[in-house]
């Protein structure tokens, strides 16, 4: 079966499982979502809303209705007494913010972690290596919401270097955009840096023991070239896998970070959907994230082949 | 009473009657709350401010976004939403420094002799932001929309709030007559409705799709842009009808921007870093820190408990254990407010003796609400257990915020010291409101009853009302509420509501904790937080339903 078809089936199965699970979980939540929409409305009005939204239907029927809408691109609506608002309108605004944040965080994490991983592997056991490891453990132990508040206080308030809240679109003012995304991206990236650095270091140490590295060294290849051209590529597979899988962690963390820094991204939207019991919106947002996540990991699989010729040849 | 922008007044000396917005404020299920010393500080920050310099911009940090928008009759607005509403819309009446209601967007609001009819004279020459004129028809349509008698609009709590209205009629192009079912002496307070009973333009009222985000009022600022979770921007209304007490054109600012910053520490960081230049909070621990900053001159702080809300523990009187007065009394005796204040409030909280904050009719320094007495609490627990054969155990429902959980743990410890068993149930805010609506709780952390005329609390406490969450059935309270609603004598009303307050103390339907402190912190160059009264420079001192943004100004 072609890889793309296999991946597509994988995507459909994951999407089905995740959204079904979300539908079941939300149905088990205590309370009545109509009370969030119109808590103080007369009972007849509540009943009317319930009927209009199909909340009295069995869960499979509700889920089927949502799924058939979703696959045709209808993400549903935010229910309000005033009128329904299409989720897609909100997603259009929020999605770019979250993607920007995650890309910045991921790039920052990799840009810092890769040189550190390579350097600590090369100098394994040295004071620099021990210091870097010690720092990495420290960063791993620091929750990102705490780091966010610490950064905001010291970098934003005490030093006055960066604004502590709000979002500016890159099209509006790119420099200001970067200034406002810097602290949220750092808060998200720091934990990842530690993980990536440790992973790469371990793999690099193993790779540096390989025969082909010894061969390269014996042929007089410079240490820099050995590290960056010969050892890094085969050592990056685990890093790449984890970087792909970590997108899930980033999304989870982004919910908190976006709320702290008042960024109007998907995290804030998810938070709003949960707190206001907008189940349809919540389900659609989770589905969008699931699709993005699976597709990203598909991309990671493709990159394996680029990084490692053995995989490419095996597939061929 | 004549003033620069009020032709006449229909005032009977009465106290602020903030209103149905209490509805929404009830949604502000006690998250952290505040209390504290009397605000008092109100005007001090502006005492040396100097001459007003019009222009400039204020960026105001709000504690929450108003996701459902501002279709006012239907919107569920807490303080953040009300603050934005007051930016775009005007109300027909407004409270003065004494909490008495005076006409604002109306030029007169007059009752007949027995208070069964109120004549509202609409201010002449006022236009909405879309250029349409304010007249009696649009006022009638707004009032009908609030009370659920206007096609296409579906209000919720306002149906209860305005259920005493029998009809709203246009008398002439600028006069509206409201007829009530029973005499309603506090009706002018309801026209303010805690600042959220604004008048919308006909186009917004009739907008079936975009009523919530197509904001058209007569207020000091014109809606410009709303990006949910990011910013709400409004620009100066150049044709605003009002001037200040010295005849200067309002508003002073060119622009105001609201930013929802949910995390209070970040809101303070944003203020300190200059990202925003104004913010509000009711978190006692934050206010305590802000007080220190105010003293050092880094910021200006205005705080108040006047006409405010009360933070309390609401007990469900319809089922065990709190259907038994001994259980309610035992818990009240077990609660050591001084310890609570020291631990949870850094000593800045003021004990609430009843539901009426300072300034309100019915406020009392002392009621029969039991104070801390551990031995008495233990004795009552024993009596309860002997009488019922059951241990005195109950669940305490609260939200998941760290501060509310810490509060719950304090109450748990206090109750367990007296021999009770307490299970803490943490839920999200929606579930907490569900629990209150369904009566599915035993004790629940709550905050409500912002300042105004006590009649505004009618629906919260009337027997059988769907929003009498504590489900107490007390003929005396119902009688007092009915008497207070219709009695035209101010002194008699004071007595009625003081009796009602005492009745709450005796029966311990709720355990009042503290008067919530609301505070507005600004950069030192921002002034005019409290604004002015409708007919004089003296401002209304309450902050529980936001501030009048027309009077904010920045040193230029």
């Amino acid at each position: 079966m072609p890889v793309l078809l296999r991946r597509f089936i994988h995507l459909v199965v994951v999407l089905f499982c995740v959204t079904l699970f979300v539908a079941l979980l939300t149905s088990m939540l205590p309370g009545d979502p109509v009370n969030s929409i119109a808590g103080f409305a007369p009972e007849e009005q509540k009943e009317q809303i319930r009927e209009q939204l199909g909340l009295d239907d069995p869960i499979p029927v509700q889920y089927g209705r949502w799924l058939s809408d979703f696959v045709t691109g209808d993400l549903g609506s935010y229910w309000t007494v005033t009128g329904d608002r299409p989720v897609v309108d909100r997603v259009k605004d929020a999605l770019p913010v979250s993607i920007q944040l995650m890309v910045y965080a991921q790039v920052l994490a990799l840009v810092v972690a890769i040189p550190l991983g390579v350097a600590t592997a090369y100098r394994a056991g040295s004071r620099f290596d021990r210091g870097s490891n010690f720092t990495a453990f420290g960063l791993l132990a620091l929750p990102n919401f705490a780091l966010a508040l610490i950064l905001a206080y010291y970098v934003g308030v005490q030093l006055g270097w960066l604004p502590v809240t709000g979002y500016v679109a890159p099209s509006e003012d790119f420099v200001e955009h970067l200034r406002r995304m810097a602290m949220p991206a750092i808060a998200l990236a720091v934990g990842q840096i530690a993980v990536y650095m440790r992973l790469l270091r371990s793999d690099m140490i193993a790779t540096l023991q390989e025969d082909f590295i010894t061969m390269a060294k014996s042929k007089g290849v410079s240490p820099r070239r050995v590290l960056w051209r010969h050892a890094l590529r085969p050592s990056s597979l685990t890093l790449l896998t984890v970087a792909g899988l970590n997108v899930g962690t980033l999304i989870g963390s982004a919910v908190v970070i976006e709320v702290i820094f008042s960024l109007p991204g998907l995290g804030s939207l998810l938070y709003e959907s949960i707190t206001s019991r907008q189940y349809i919106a919540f389900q659609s947002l989770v589905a969008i994230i699931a699709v993005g996540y699976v597709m990203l990991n598909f991309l990671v699989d493709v990159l394996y082949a680029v990084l490692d010729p053995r995989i490419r040849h095996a597939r061929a | 009473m004549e003033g620069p922008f009020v032709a006449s007044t229909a005032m009977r000396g009465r106290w602020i009657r903030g209103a149905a917005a209490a509805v929404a404020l009830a949604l502000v299920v006690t998250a952290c709350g505040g209390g504290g010393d009397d605000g008092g500080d109100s005007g001090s920050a502006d005492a040396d401010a100097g001459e007003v310099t019009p222009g400039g911009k204020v960026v105001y940090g709000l504690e929450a976004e108003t996701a459902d928008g501002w279709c006012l009759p239907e919107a569920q607005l807490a303080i953040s939403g009300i603050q934005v509403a007051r930016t775009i819309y005007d109300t027909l009446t407004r409270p003065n420094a004494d909490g008495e209601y005076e006409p604002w967007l109306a030029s007169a609001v007059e009752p007949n002799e027995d208070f069964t009819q109120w004549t509202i004279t609409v201010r002449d020459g006022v236009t909405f932001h879309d250029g349409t004129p304010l007249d009696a028809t649009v006022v009638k349509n707004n009032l009908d929309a609030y009370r659920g008698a206007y096609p296409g609009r579906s209000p919720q709590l306002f149906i209860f709030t305005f259920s005493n209205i029998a009809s709203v009629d246009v008398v002439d192009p600028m006069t509206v007559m409201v007829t009530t079912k029973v005499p309603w002496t506090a009706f002018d307070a309801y026209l303010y409705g805690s600042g959220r009973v604004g008048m919308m333009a006909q186009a917004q009222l009739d907008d079936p799709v975009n009523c919530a985000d197509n904001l058209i009022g007569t207020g000091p600022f014109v809606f410009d842009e709303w990006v949910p979770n990011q910013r709400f921007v409004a620009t100066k209304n150049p044709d605003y009808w009002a001037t200040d007490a010295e005849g200067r054109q309002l508003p002073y600012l060119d622009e105001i921007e609201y930013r929802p910053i949910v995390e209070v520490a970040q809101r303070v960081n944003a203020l300190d870093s200059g990202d925003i230049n104004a913010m509000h909070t009711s978190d006692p621990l934050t206010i305590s820190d802000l007080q220190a900053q105010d003293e050092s001159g880094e910021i200006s702080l205005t705080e108040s408990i006047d006409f405010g809300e009360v933070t309390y523990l609401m007990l469900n009187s319809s089922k065990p254990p709190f259907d038994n007065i001994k259980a309610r009394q035992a818990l009240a005796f077990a609660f050591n407010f001084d310890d609570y204040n020291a631990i949870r409030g850094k000593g800045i909280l003021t004990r609430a003796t009843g539901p009426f904050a300072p300034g309100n009719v019915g406020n009392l320094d002392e009621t029969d609400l039991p104070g801390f007495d551990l031995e008495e609490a233990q004795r009552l627990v024993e009596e309860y257990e002997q009488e019922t054969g059951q241990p005195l155990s109950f669940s305490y429902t609260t939200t998941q915020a760290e501060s509310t959980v810490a509060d719950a743990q304090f109450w748990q410890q206090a109750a367990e010291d007296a021999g009770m068993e307490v299970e803490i149930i943490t839920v999200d805010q929606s579930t907490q409101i569900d629990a209150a609506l369904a009566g599915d709780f035993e004790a629940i952390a709550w905050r409500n009853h912002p300042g105004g005329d006590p009649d505004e609390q009618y629906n919260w406490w009337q027997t059988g009302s769907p929003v009498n969450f504590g489900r107490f059935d007390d003929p005396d309270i119902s009688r007092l509420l009915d008497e207070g609603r219709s009695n035209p004598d101010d002194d008699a009303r004071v007595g009625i509501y003081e009796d009602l307050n005492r009745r709450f103390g005796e029966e311990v339907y709720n355990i009042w904790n503290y008067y919530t402190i609301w505070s507005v912190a600004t950069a030192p160059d921002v002034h005019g937080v409290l604004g002015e009264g409708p007919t004089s420079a003296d401002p209304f001192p309450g902050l529980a339903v936001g501030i009048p943004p027309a009077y904010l100004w920045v040193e230029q």
Side-chain angles (χ1 to χ4, degrees):
Chain A
M1 196 184 294
V3 176
L4 274 178
L5 181 62
R6 240 185 12 236
R7 274 290 147 186
F8 180 73
I9 293 168
H10 182 202
L11 173 69
V12 170
V13 171
V14 168
L15 185 62
F16 178 75
C17 293
V18 167
T19 53
L20 183 64
F21 188 58
V22 169
L24 289 173
L25 277 181
T26 49
S27 72
M28 282 190 279
L29 286 174
D32 183 352
V34 175
N35 282 337
S36 298
I37 305 166
F40 298 104
E43 198 46 51
E44 309 85 67
Q45 194 185 340
K46 286 187 186 175
E47 201 46 57
Q48 205 179 339
I49 296 170
R50 220 168 268 128
E51 200 178 319
Q52 197 183 330
L53 301 176
L55 293 173
D56 290 332
D57 293 337
I59 300 302
V61 174
Q62 289 186 45
Y63 176 72
R65 192 167 45 231
W66 169 83
L67 191 61
S68 61
D69 287 343
F70 184 79
V71 295
T72 57
D74 179 358
L75 305 186
S77 294
Y78 280 90
W79 312 320
T80 69
V81 174
T82 306
D84 296 344
R85 297 149 165 232
V87 174
V88 71
D89 290 350
R90 303 288 303 276
V91 170
K92 270 185 208 161
D93 293 333
L95 190 60
V97 180
S98 293
I99 290 176
Q100 287 156 9
L101 176 61
M102 280 183 274
V103 167
Y104 295 151
Q106 196 75 294
V107 168
L108 182 66
L110 291 170
V111 162
V112 176
I114 290 174
L116 272 177
V118 171
T120 50
Y122 181 60
R123 297 181 186 177
S126 68
R127 200 175 288 174
F128 171 71
D129 178 36
R130 288 199 301 273
S132 298
N133 278 318
F134 180 79
T135 310
F137 281 122
L139 294 176
L140 268 176
L142 188 63
N144 51 26
F145 68 88
L147 178 65
L149 291 172
I150 291 167
L151 278 174
Y153 182 71
Y154 286 104
V155 180
V157 178
Q158 294 297 313
L159 299 171
W161 289 349
L162 294 168
V164 296
T165 58
Y167 173 78
V168 171
S171 54
E172 218 174 302
D173 182 341
F174 188 65
V175 174
E176 188 58 27
H177 166 77
L178 290 180
R179 277 167 48 76
R180 286 183 188 269
M181 297 298 267
M183 280 197 285
I186 292 169
L188 273 181
V190 162
Q192 313 298 323
I193 290 172
V195 173
Y196 296 164
M197 188 204 89
R198 294 278 305 159
L199 270 175
L200 186 60
R201 176 185 174 277
S202 306
D203 283 0
M204 281 285 281
I205 288 172
T207 307
L208 290 172
Q209 315 294 322
E210 297 276 348
D211 291 345
F212 71 93
I213 296 291
T214 313
M215 167 76 84
K217 282 180 183 169
S218 66
K219 285 169 73 177
V221 178
S222 70
R224 179 176 292 187
R225 193 172 170 81
V226 167
L227 284 172
W228 292 98
R229 290 297 299 269
H230 297 273
L232 177 60
R233 209 154 88 158
S235 305
S236 302
L237 288 181
T238 317
L239 176 65
L240 190 66
T241 310
V242 172
L245 292 173
N246 251 358
V247 171
T249 312
L250 278 178
I251 292 167
S253 305
V255 175
V256 179
I257 296 299
E258 285 180 9
V259 170
I260 288 177
F261 287 102
S262 300
L263 295 177
L266 273 189
S268 294
L269 217 51
L270 265 176
Y271 175 80
E272 184 188 316
S273 306
I274 294 164
T275 53
S276 59
R277 298 267 190 93
Q278 296 286 351
Y279 293 164
I280 293 291
F282 179 62
Q283 212 157 299
S284 295
L285 292 171
V286 170
I288 290 167
I289 291 167
V291 170
Y293 185 70
V294 172
M295 289 182 64
L296 197 85
N297 279 282
F298 171 60
L299 193 68
V300 168
D301 275 5
V302 173
L303 281 176
Y304 281 165
V306 175
L307 283 173
D308 193 337
R310 288 169 300 181
I311 296 172
R312 196 162 57 228
H313 294 144
R315 280 179 184 170
Chain B
M1 195 184 298
E2 292 290 329
F5 34 76
V6 175
S8 69
T9 174
M11 283 304 309
R12 292 176 52 259
R14 237 174 287 118
W15 299 258
I16 182 168
R17 297 143 185 157
V23 174
L25 290 168
L27 300 179
V28 186
V29 186
T30 196
C32 35
D37 279 324
D38 187 335
D41 193 11
S42 26
S44 66
D46 278 354
D48 304 319
E51 189 67 17
V52 170
T53 50
K57 175 181 178 179
V58 161
V59 183
Y60 195 107
L62 297 172
E63 67 170 14
E65 179 58 285
T66 303
D68 290 350
W70 290 267
C71 189
L72 295 180
E74 297 161 358
Q76 300 188 46
L77 304 182
I79 185 168
S80 299
I82 294 173
Q83 181 59 50
V84 172
R86 293 178 69 173
T87 305
I88 305 296
Y89 303 97
D90 287 313
T91 48
L92 292 166
T93 60
R94 200 153 80 78
N96 65 18
D98 298 323
E100 300 166 340
Y101 284 89
E102 297 182 7
W104 181 239
L105 191 56
S107 56
V109 180
E110 302 276 1
N112 66 356
E113 204 168 312
D114 66 357
F115 291 88
T116 54
Q117 284 190 325
W118 286 80
T119 304
I120 301 167
T121 308
V122 178
R123 186 174 293 280
D124 199 19
V126 177
T127 56
F128 285 97
H129 300 156
D130 63 356
T132 55
L134 175 80
D135 59 18
T137 304
V138 76
V139 169
K140 170 194 158 49
N141 291 344
N142 271 277
L143 292 177
D144 278 344
Y146 280 110
R147 72 192 186 95
Y150 189 77
R153 296 271 68 96
S154 308
Q156 298 178 48
L157 199 70
F158 280 119
I159 290 180
F160 302 113
T161 308
F162 286 113
S163 61
N164 191 30
I165 293 179
S167 65
V168 181
D169 301 295
V170 172
V171 176
D172 65 45
M174 298 305 279
T175 310
V176 176
M177 171 87 76
V178 176
T179 306
T180 64
K181 294 173 185 167
V182 300
W184 202 359
T185 58
F187 176 67
D188 51 356
Y190 281 79
L191 293 178
Y192 176 64
S194 296
R196 53 103 65 238
V197 181
M199 293 293 113
M200 306 191 304
Q202 194 65 47
Q204 184 182 2
L205 199 57
D206 291 339
D207 191 331
V209 180
N210 297 313
C211 180
D213 44 23
N214 175 28
L215 287 73
I216 313 169
T218 60
F221 293 90
V222 180
F223 170 60
D224 179 35
E225 180 191 30
W226 178 35
V227 184
N229 295 321
Q230 194 175 345
R231 61 177 178 267
F232 180 103
V233 182
T235 53
K236 179 183 185 133
N237 175 3
D239 303 318
Y240 192 48
W241 56 272
T243 55
D244 68 10
E246 292 179 21
R248 283 178 296 235
Q249 180 62 44
L250 292 171
Y252 301 135
L253 296 174
D254 287 339
E255 186 176 314
I256 189 161
E257 178 179 331
Y258 294 103
R259 285 193 199 158
I261 306 173
V262 177
E263 177 59 45
V264 66
Q266 274 293 75
R267 212 150 62 240
V268 175
N269 282 341
L271 178 70
D272 289 342
S273 68
D275 219 12
I276 60 175
N277 52 3
M279 58 161 275
H280 64 185
T281 182
S282 63
D283 176 43
L285 302 181
T286 304
I287 292 172
S288 172
D289 292 342
L290 289 171
Q291 285 173 345
Q293 285 189 270
D294 181 39
E295 278 169 23
S296 68
E298 294 167 49
I299 61 156
S300 294
L301 184 67
T302 307
E303 53 181 299
S304 175
I305 56 169
D306 292 342
F307 303 99
E309 304 151 304
V310 181
T311 299
Y312 60 100
L313 190 64
M314 185 158 64
L315 308 177
N316 189 339
S317 300
S318 69
K319 62 182 185 183
F322 295 123
D323 57 348
N324 185 321
I325 189 171
K326 284 179 181 158
R328 302 197 296 267
Q329 287 173 329
L331 185 56
F333 277 121
F335 178 63
N336 186 337
F337 175 77
D338 291 337
D339 280 358
Y340 178 89
N341 191 15
I343 295 166
R344 300 289 307 136
K346 285 195 176 176
I348 67 168
L349 304 174
T350 301
R351 178 79 203 252
T353 57
F356 306 124
N360 287 339
V361 177
N363 171 261
L364 290 168
D365 291 337
E366 290 285 331
T367 61
D368 292 331
L369 181 70
F372 176 61
D373 184 339
L374 187 58
E375 285 178 13
E376 184 62 8
Q378 288 165 335
R379 188 187 67 75
L380 283 162
V381 171
E382 277 175 29
E383 270 188 33
Y384 173 90
E385 292 182 350
Q386 280 168 6
E387 195 175 299
T388 63
Q390 299 290 325
L392 206 176
S393 63
F394 66 92
S395 62
Y396 179 115
T397 305
T398 190
T399 53
Q400 293 142 333
E402 176 272 334
S403 62
T404 58
V405 173
D407 276 356
Q409 286 165 340
F410 183 93
W411 280 91
Q412 183 182 42
Q413 185 65 52
E416 287 179 355
D417 286 349
M420 296 172 239
E421 294 167 18
V422 184
E423 180 196 6
I424 295 173
I425 299 175
T426 58
V427 293
D428 65 90
Q429 189 164 301
S430 294
T431 307
Q432 191 175 26
I433 293 166
D434 281 353
L437 280 164
D440 187 18
F441 69 95
E442 286 158 8
I444 196 164
W446 209 253
R447 189 173 81 193
N448 195 5
H449 316 305
D453 191 284
D455 181 53
E456 287 177 88
Q457 312 304 329
Y458 187 93
N459 286 306
W460 299 117
W461 300 330
Q462 185 59 263
T463 299
S465 163
V467 291
N468 176 348
F469 298 131
R471 286 166 168 72
F472 52 81
D473 178 358
D474 190 319
D476 282 346
I477 287 185
S478 293
R479 176 182 54 77
L480 290 165
L481 287 169
D482 285 334
E483 285 177 15
R485 166 155 286 194
S486 296
N487 196 316
D489 183 279
D490 288 341
D491 292 335
R493 295 184 83 237
V494 171
I496 288 167
Y497 288 113
E498 286 181 353
D499 285 350
L500 189 141
N501 196 348
R502 288 190 194 95
R503 180 74 182 160
F504 266 113
E506 286 162 16
E507 292 296 323
V508 203
Y509 292 123
N510 300 311
I511 302 177
W512 312 112
N513 189 349
Y514 59 89
Y515 298 121
T516 307
I517 307 174
W518 271 102
S519 70
V520 175
T522 66
D525 62 346
V526 175
H527 308 280
V529 166
L530 287 171
E532 295 181 352
T535 53
S536 80
D538 295 332
F540 172 67
L543 291 172
V545 293
I547 61 168
Y551 300 90
L552 281 175
W553 62 278
V554 188
E555 289 173 27
Q556 302 294 315

